[in-house]
Amino acid sequence: MGDTIFSKIIKREIPADIVYETENVLAFRDIKPQAPVHILIIPKIEIPKVTDIDGKQHAQLLGELFDAANKLARDFKIDQDGFRLVFNCGNNGGQDVYHLHMHLLGGRQMKWPPG
Ligand code: AMP
C-alpha cells in the first residue's frame, strides 16, 4: 500500500467523513468541497492514476466505482437533477493525490468548459 493521504484514510490512520464502504471501494467527503455534494470515491487497492488502469484487470472494480457513484447520487438526492463525475489525471489534468479517485459533484449547476 502506498503512502498517499488516501491510503492513510483507507487504513484509518487519518480521519475522514466516510459515507460509503464496501470490500473494494471507499467514499468520503472532499475536505475542500467544490459543490454542495462533493464526494471522493476510491478503490482500496492502489492505482495511482487513470493511465495505470488496465481495462481487463480492473473492469469489475471500475464498475463498482460507478455503482457507488449512482448509489451515493441517490442517497444524496442529486440523481434527478444530475451531477458530474471527474477523474483528474496527471499534471495537466490537475491531479494532486496519486491514488485513483472519482469526484462526485452535485447540488448546483455545473459549468462548461471546466477551469
Ligand atoms: P485531485 O486534484 O483530483 O487529485 O483531487 C484531490 C482531492 O482530494 C481534492 O479535491 C482535495 O480537496 C481532496 N483532499 C485532499 N486531502 C483530503 C483529505 N484528507 N480528506 C478529504 N479530501 C481530501
Side-chain angles (χ1 to χ4, degrees), residues 5-6 9 14-17 28-34 38 40 86-89 93-99 101 103:
I5 197 121
F6 292 174
I9 288 173
I14 62 166
D17 187 355
F28 48 91
R29 288 184 191 269
D30 196 293
I31 204 166
K32 202 176 156 195
Q34 302 300 317
H38 187 173
L40 301 172
V86 175
F87 286 92
N88 294 323
C89 182
Q95 184 173 6
D96 288 327
V97 180
Y98 281 79
H99 183 117
H101 51 281
H103 295 257

Side-chain angles (χ1 to χ4, degrees), residues 10 14 21-22 27 29 35-36 40 42 44 55-56 63-64 68 72-73 77-79 81 85 92 110:
I10 293 166
I14 62 166
E21 182 168 21
T22 64
R29 288 184 191 269
L40 301 172
I42 70 173
K44 289 187 177 175
K56 283 202 180 73
E64 291 180 34
L72 287 161
K77 304 195 185 320
I78 57 171
D79 56 318
D81 287 342
L85 299 176
N92 275 7
M110 297 296 153

Side-chain angles (χ1 to χ4, degrees), residues 4 14 16 23 25 31 33 41 49 55 69 72 84 86 89 92 97 104-105 111 113-114:
T4 69
I14 62 166
E23 185 185 351
V25 173
I31 204 166
I41 303 166
K49 58 187 189 296
L72 287 161
R84 183 171 290 177
V86 175
C89 182
N92 275 7
V97 180
L104 168 62
L105 296 146
K111 297 187 177 74

